Amino acid sequence: MKTMGHSKKCPDLKTYYQRETSTCKFCSLKPGFEVTDNCGHDDVGGLHEVPFRECTANSTFNDGSGAYCKACSSCPPGENIWSPCNTTADTTCQPSGSTTAVPVPVTVSMDGRKHTSMIPTSTFFSTSKKPLQQSKNDDVGLQWTVPLVILISIMVAGICAFLIYKKRKRGQNTVLGFSRRSSYINAGFSPLSALPGNNDLEHILNPNILSAPLQTVLDNLDVLEELVILLDPESQGVKNTKHLASHCSFTATWITYTYSMKESKSPLKAVLEGVTSRNPDWTVGHLAKLLRHMERNDAIAVLSKLGLNVIQV
């Protein structure tokens, strides 16, 4: 064992004295090489030799895990060399006649130092066909898993969309449940004289509601809000607030202006306020007749919710 070096302050030959920190530092490790005594440095910054010395080819090696080169191992009787020793790796062995055995590294002691040698043991990792077949089966399983997950996701999305559609359809059928007994050949903007009488509407609305002032609709915010949601939107083939305003003799210019201010005020509310101002004697029955003429029984159904308030009054 080495006992002398270039440093008196660092007795461990694998270290050197660093003056900046006044401490002993370990030498750097380098595969294929071993460190020289105190990395070649003395305590005052002098360099006596290079920090590394190369291992002897085919005789010693250093895989970078230690400071010194280690002696190469020899294969025991009955085993052949798997790979020869070089300056960065030890000899590896395998049993004679085997082509698939993988040597297992074993730590042994040489010259008072611990070295790691690739000495074969009774346990080897075989590259038999069974793991390969298992790997193939896993690959096939993985190939089918992804499409199956995608298919299930599409089916679930389709079912959810169908259920939502059915729910909305059911809601529409509930609102539009009143039969449309239209007696007009052309729904258009027919004269008010062609509208059905109160007797026809009494099958849908309570007489007290029909005779209530039109202002009742404006006063009931819940009913007004539902009517706004139903009548203000412009949907193709469905008559809306524009048609109602036309029946109430509002000009096209006024209607266009009212819809341009839709973000700040509901067109339907503007129409109802204008009608009650010009015709204070109008009742809910007048509005119901216009809605019946427009074939908007869904809006008439909303007017039926005025019943409780009218009775209380």
Side-chain angles (χ1 to χ4, degrees):
M1 180 179 294
K2 298 179 181 181
T3 58
M4 297 182 61
H6 305 295
S7 174
K8 294 181 180 180
K9 296 182 179 181
C10 298
D12 187 346
L13 299 181
K14 299 188 296 297
T15 64
Y16 69 97
Y17 183 72
Q18 188 178 65
R19 292 187 299 168
E20 292 80 0
T21 59
S22 300
T23 56
C24 293
K25 296 289 186 179
F26 280 98
C27 301
S28 301
L29 303 181
K30 185 177 180 181
F33 293 81
E34 66 179 2
V35 298
T36 57
D37 295 345
N38 302 119
C39 313
H41 295 277
D42 59 23
D43 296 336
V44 294
L47 183 63
H48 295 266
E49 58 181 321
V50 295
F52 299 100
R53 182 185 304 112
E54 188 174 8
C55 298
T56 304
N58 303 321
S59 177
T60 60
F61 76 98
N62 186 355
D63 58 7
S65 61
Y68 300 111
C69 296
K70 311 161 190 176
C72 295
S73 304
S74 299
C75 292
E79 296 186 6
N80 298 326
I81 295 176
W82 173 270
S83 62
C85 178
N86 56 53
T87 57
T88 59
D90 194 10
T91 307
T92 55
C93 307
Q94 67 174 359
S96 300
S98 174
T99 59
T100 59
V102 179
V104 179
V106 180
T107 301
V108 297
S109 178
M110 291 185 178
D111 299 332
R113 305 173 187 168
K114 289 188 176 181
H115 307 278
T116 301
S117 301
M118 300 296 289
I119 300 177
T121 65
S122 58
T123 304
F124 295 93
F125 298 96
S126 173
T127 57
S128 62
K129 294 181 179 180
K130 184 175 181 180
L132 293 177
Q133 184 65 34
Q134 183 66 34
S135 177
K136 291 181 180 179
N137 292 338
D138 292 342
D139 291 341
V140 173
L142 182 60
Q143 292 174 358
W144 278 102
T145 299
V146 175
L148 184 60
V149 170
I150 295 176
L151 179 61
I152 293 175
S153 300
I154 295 175
M155 292 176 62
V156 171
I159 293 173
C160 292
F162 176 75
L163 293 177
I164 293 173
Y165 170 77
K166 293 292 289 184
K167 185 176 180 179
R168 290 181 177 176
K169 190 74 174 178
R170 191 181 302 113
Q172 292 176 356
N173 290 340
T174 301
V175 175
L176 301 177
F178 298 92
S179 60
R180 295 184 175 181
R181 295 175 292 175
S182 175
S183 58
Y184 319 114
I185 299 176
N186 181 6
F189 298 122
S190 302
L192 294 183
S193 60
L195 297 178
N198 284 345
N199 291 335
D200 189 44
L201 290 171
E202 287 177 355
H203 294 287
I204 302 175
L205 297 178
N206 186 290
N208 292 331
I209 297 176
L210 293 173
S211 60
L214 183 60
Q215 182 65 36
T216 307
V217 178
L218 290 170
D219 294 339
N220 192 312
L221 298 182
D222 292 334
V223 171
L224 179 62
E225 182 179 3
E226 288 193 49
L227 291 175
V228 167
I229 294 174
L230 287 175
L231 298 175
D232 275 356
E234 299 181 77
S235 303
Q236 186 175 3
V238 180
K239 294 182 179 180
N240 55 19
T241 300
K242 287 185 176 181
H243 298 81
L244 179 64
S246 178
H247 284 308
C248 294
S249 302
F250 287 99
T251 64
T253 302
W254 185 90
I255 296 173
T256 302
Y257 171 76
T258 303
Y259 262 83
S260 69
M261 303 297 291
K262 183 178 179 181
E263 296 298 326
S264 58
K265 185 175 182 179
S266 162
L268 175 64
K269 185 177 181 182
V271 170
L272 295 179
E273 289 176 346
V275 171
T276 54
S277 176
R278 293 191 307 181
N279 303 288
D281 58 330
W282 268 42
T283 64
V284 176
H286 288 86
L287 175 61
K289 289 178 181 180
L290 295 177
L291 295 174
R292 187 80 166 102
H293 180 58
M294 292 165 54
E295 297 186 349
R296 290 305 302 264
N297 287 341
D298 53 343
I300 297 176
V302 174
L303 292 178
S304 66
K305 297 180 181 181
L306 293 170
L308 181 60
N309 292 339
V310 171
I311 293 174
Q312 288 177 347
V313 173

